[in-house]
Amino acid sequence: GAVVSQHPSWVICKSGTSVKIECRSLDFQATTMFWYRQFPKQSLMLMATSNEGSKATYEQGVEKDKFLINHASLTLSTLTVTSAHPEDSSFYICSAWDRGHQPQHFGDGTRLSIL
Amino acid sequence: DQQVKQNSPSLSVQEGRISILNCDYTNSMFDYFLWYKKYPAEGPTFLISISSIKDKNEDGRFTVFLNKSAKHLSLHIVPSQPGDSAVYFCAASKTTDSWGKLQFGAGTQVVVTP
C-alpha cells in the first residue's frame, strides 16, 4: 500500500527554536498534502492544505507566518514551526493524496515538545 | 462547527464479539466516507470507505453501513480481536472538493478485552 514517511518522529527543543518537519510520499505522487495537529484525546485538526508548486491554504485560526509550509515537489512537503513556544507542543501529522484517488495516506506523526 | 460526530468516546467489547462504532454527519454534501484506525503515537491507517451510492461495503472483518437519509454511518468489526484496540476515526469528504479535504470525527477508543 501507499507509504508516507514523516520525519522526525520526535523533537524536543528550546523555546524560540524553529523546527522543520518533512513529509514524503514514497511510492506515489502526492498532488496534495495536508498538515494536521492533534491534541491529546482530541480529533485531528486540519491546519493547512498544500498543493505542489503553489501556496498553502490555511484553515481559519492557523497563523501562516507561524507554520510555514512548502510543497516543492510531488513527493515532499515541509512544515516549519517558527519560533516555537510551549503552546506549540503537539502531535503533528501529515497526509498525502493523489488527486482522484482516495484515500489520504498518513505519516506516523511528529511529537513536538517545546521546553 | 463539528460536521462529523462520533458521540461515543469509548467502547469496550469482549474478544470474539461484534464492535459497532457509530458516526453522524450534518453536511448533506458529503458523499464519501472513510474509517481510519489509529494507535498512540502513530498516524491513522485507512481501514475502509464507502461512497454515497452504496449503503454497505465489506472488507474481511470490517463492514461499513451508510444510511443517507439519517446521515449516519457505522463500522462493524466482527469478530473483535485484541489487536483492534485503538482509536477509530470516522471521516467525510465531498468528491466535488478537488482538494480532497477530510472532516474528522472526534474518535472512539475501542478496547477489546480477552
Side-chain angles (χ1 to χ4, degrees):
Chain A
V3 178
V4 175
S5 172
Q6 190 172 338
H7 178 80
S9 56
W10 201 341
V11 180
I12 302 174
C13 57
K14 292 182 180 179
S15 186
T17 309
S18 291
V19 178
K20 181 186 279 190
I21 303 170
E22 288 189 351
C23 180
R24 292 180 186 272
S25 58
L26 298 184
D27 54 357
F28 68 103
Q29 292 187 326
T31 48
T32 307
M33 286 188 172
F34 302 88
W35 288 95
Y36 296 83
R37 184 173 181 176
Q38 186 186 26
F39 291 104
K41 298 190 187 299
Q42 293 189 25
S43 186
L44 284 76
M45 183 194 81
L46 179 64
M47 298 174 66
T49 303
S50 75
N51 290 293
E52 184 262 342
S54 61
K55 286 185 179 180
T57 301
Y58 290 81
E59 296 298 304
Q60 196 171 11
V62 178
E63 300 174 59
K64 60 179 69 175
D65 294 329
K66 176 75 168 174
F67 300 100
L68 301 179
I69 291 171
N70 182 277
H71 192 164
S73 77
L74 285 171
T75 60
L76 174 64
S77 177
T78 60
L79 166 68
T80 302
V81 184
T82 61
S83 187
H85 292 286
E87 59 267 25
D88 298 322
S89 298
S90 191
F91 191 58
Y92 293 87
I93 312 175
C94 73
S95 72
W97 181 62
D98 180 14
R99 183 170 295 150
H101 297 90
Q102 284 286 8
Q104 289 182 26
H105 296 280
F106 286 81
D108 276 342
T110 298
R111 171 70 59 194
L112 176 61
S113 297
I114 308 298
L115 306 176
Chain B
D1 178 29
Q2 193 77 9
Q3 298 185 56
V4 179
K5 298 177 185 178
Q6 292 176 257
N7 292 318
S8 297
S10 64
L11 172 70
S12 181
V13 64
Q14 215 168 9
E15 182 178 0
R17 299 289 186 103
I18 184 172
S19 295
I20 300 177
L21 292 80
N22 293 302
C23 178
D24 297 292
Y25 60 96
T26 57
N27 191 334
S28 58
M29 297 296 289
F30 289 142
D31 57 4
Y32 190 76
F33 305 89
L34 308 90
W35 285 94
Y36 284 86
K37 174 182 179 180
K38 185 181 181 301
Y39 294 116
E42 291 185 12
T45 303
F46 170 72
L47 270 180
I48 192 169
S49 63
I50 188 167
S51 163
S52 62
I53 61 173
K54 292 186 172 182
D55 55 17
K56 178 183 174 181
N57 190 24
E58 195 171 349
D59 184 0
R61 297 186 297 115
F62 302 93
T63 303
V64 57
F65 295 91
L66 175 63
N67 182 334
K68 288 190 294 293
S69 60
K71 295 193 182 67
H72 177 84
L73 63 153
S74 61
L75 174 68
H76 292 208
I77 306 173
V78 56
S80 299
Q81 300 173 353
D84 296 331
S85 296
V87 177
Y88 290 77
F89 289 99
C90 168
S93 72
K94 297 175 263 188
T95 50
T96 52
D97 183 339
S98 59
W99 287 354
K101 284 168 64 171
L102 295 178
Q103 296 280 348
F104 281 87
T108 296
Q109 172 78 60
V110 172
V111 176
V112 180
T113 57

